[in-house]
Amino acid sequence: MLRRLRVTLLRRSLLFLLLICLGCSAQSASPELTRRIERHVRAYYSLPADVQVLVAPLQPSEFTGYDAVVVTITNGAKSQNYDFLVSKDGKTLARMTKLDLSTDPYAEVMKKLSWQGRPTRGNKDAKVVAVNFDDFQCPYCSRLHQTLFPQILNEYGDRVLFVYKDYPLEEIHPWATRAAIDANCLAGQSNDAYWGFADFMHGNQHELNSEKGRDAQLAKVDQATLLEAQKRNLDLARLQSCIKAQDDGQVKASIREGDALGVNATPAMFVNGFKVDGALPIEELRSILDRALVDAGVQPPKHPASPATAAPAAR
């Protein structure tokens, strides 16, 4: 009889634990609540009709009076999860942004960036690294490039390391991927050849864009690649083989890395993890680089006086 009592108590205990676990598990939102969440998300973010919005089951949250819910927004092949809080009465939806103050957000970004084997300019041992996601056919990239090189490089070259990553927007720039692959073929033999090619591409976009048809533009890219190789006395047979292969694996890997960091347009530069969007004026670039240097314990360089602040000429 004692044994039967123990078995009965054990079964009741297991049933009690099961009920507790069921109470803590995810609970599907009602169809009406799901519909309201979707409509508000679509309206607030102005989402087109072809963008899918999926509301996940409710989860317990650490905030009293609220459940947690993940909303997944899918546009074509790209999906992004967003964390929200829903009040227990179903009347309030709040976007949840939880910041972990125990970590350095910029350092976390730098951990996700890889530039091993990439061509570089500046000081390889610098405490400040500027990683730029570049598109050789992007006019704003050209503007930034011609600001960085040579002026910014001349001012900061002993304090900053500059790195370029591939992010060609092939949908609107038909020869950008070809240029990125060819540039990587050059980089496989010479750091200087890569940068010489980058300087030429960003300084002569109009020449390539003026070619009639995509095939003519691609041929012009290959021609510029071979001319740069000849200047540097590279192995032309090896280079031509690389150009012919058009292996885009490295370019695609760079694009995926950019996507993971929130890059969706070019240029997008990360200065010690701080994201810089667009072709900023040189004064703003200096301010960003100077702040990164100070944070790293490095004295910023002295800058030439701008025309507005230069001392008036003697009369």
Side-chain angles (χ1 to χ4, degrees):
M1 183 174 179
L2 182 59
R3 182 174 179 274
R4 185 181 301 173
L5 178 60
R6 287 176 177 172
V7 171
T8 301
L9 290 174
L10 179 60
R11 286 176 178 174
R12 290 180 178 177
S13 297
L14 290 174
L15 179 60
F16 180 70
L17 288 173
L18 178 60
L19 290 173
I20 290 177
C21 290
L22 288 174
C24 294
S25 62
Q27 301 292 320
S28 296
S30 68
E32 173 60 21
L33 179 58
T34 298
R35 187 185 72 86
R36 283 190 281 124
I37 291 174
E38 178 184 349
R39 286 175 66 84
H40 275 277
V41 169
R42 283 190 180 279
Y44 186 81
Y45 293 103
S46 301
L47 299 178
D50 59 343
V51 172
Q52 295 182 343
V53 178
L54 178 64
V55 180
L58 302 180
Q59 299 277 358
S61 83
E62 59 189 284
F63 300 97
T64 303
Y66 286 86
D67 288 318
V69 64
V70 175
V71 176
T72 302
I73 297 177
T74 302
N75 186 7
K78 293 185 177 181
S79 292
Q80 182 73 40
N81 292 332
Y82 297 90
D83 295 323
F84 288 88
L85 294 172
V86 184
S87 62
K88 295 287 188 180
D89 60 8
K91 294 183 179 180
T92 302
L93 181 68
R95 177 73 191 279
M96 184 178 71
T97 302
K98 185 177 179 180
L99 303 179
D100 183 359
L101 298 181
S102 66
T103 63
D104 182 337
Y106 299 142
E108 293 301 308
V109 169
M110 294 305 288
K111 289 178 183 177
K112 298 176 183 178
L113 282 167
S114 172
W115 57 89
Q116 185 175 3
R118 292 297 300 172
T120 62
R121 270 177 166 168
N123 182 2
K124 293 184 182 296
D125 298 320
K127 293 183 179 180
V128 172
V129 181
V131 181
N132 182 39
F133 284 85
D134 183 59
D135 176 324
F136 284 117
Q137 197 176 350
C138 163
Y140 297 100
C141 295
S142 175
R143 188 184 304 173
L144 175 64
H145 182 88
Q146 293 179 67
T147 301
L148 292 175
F149 311 116
Q151 188 163 353
I152 288 291
L153 178 64
N154 289 341
E155 292 179 29
Y156 291 89
D158 61 339
R159 295 170 171 86
V160 178
L161 180 68
F162 296 93
V163 185
Y164 269 22
K165 303 279 291 186
D166 302 316
Y167 201 89
L169 301 172
E170 193 170 19
E171 298 83 358
I172 57 175
H173 298 149
W175 54 263
T177 297
R178 183 77 168 216
I181 294 172
D182 283 12
N184 291 335
C185 288
L186 288 168
Q189 295 192 51
S190 168
N191 184 82
D192 291 340
Y194 173 90
W195 288 111
F197 178 81
D199 292 341
F200 178 83
M201 287 289 111
H202 282 305
N204 297 275
Q205 287 179 352
H206 61 285
E207 288 187 20
L208 284 97
N209 291 331
S210 64
E211 293 291 328
K212 302 299 183 183
R214 183 173 182 271
D215 289 342
Q217 291 175 342
L218 300 184
K220 189 75 172 180
V221 171
D222 291 347
Q223 181 185 24
T225 307
L226 291 171
L227 286 173
E228 184 63 35
Q230 290 171 352
K231 291 179 187 177
R232 310 286 177 177
N233 296 317
L234 303 186
D235 184 336
L236 295 182
R238 176 184 164 191
L239 180 66
Q240 287 173 326
S241 177
C242 184
I243 293 173
K244 184 178 180 180
Q246 284 299 293
D247 183 353
D248 62 356
Q250 189 174 351
V251 174
K252 286 183 175 179
S254 182
I255 292 173
R256 288 194 298 271
E257 185 176 284
D259 289 342
L261 290 165
V263 174
N264 53 25
T266 55
M269 186 164 63
F270 293 87
V271 179
N272 271 17
F274 178 80
K275 189 180 181 186
V276 181
D277 286 313
L280 299 183
I282 192 168
E283 293 80 10
E284 292 187 41
L285 288 173
R286 284 174 176 149
S287 177
I288 292 167
L289 291 168
D290 286 353
R291 183 176 61 188
L293 287 169
V294 170
D295 287 345
V298 180
Q299 179 68 34
K302 293 183 178 180
H303 305 299
S306 64
T309 59
R315 294 183 180 180

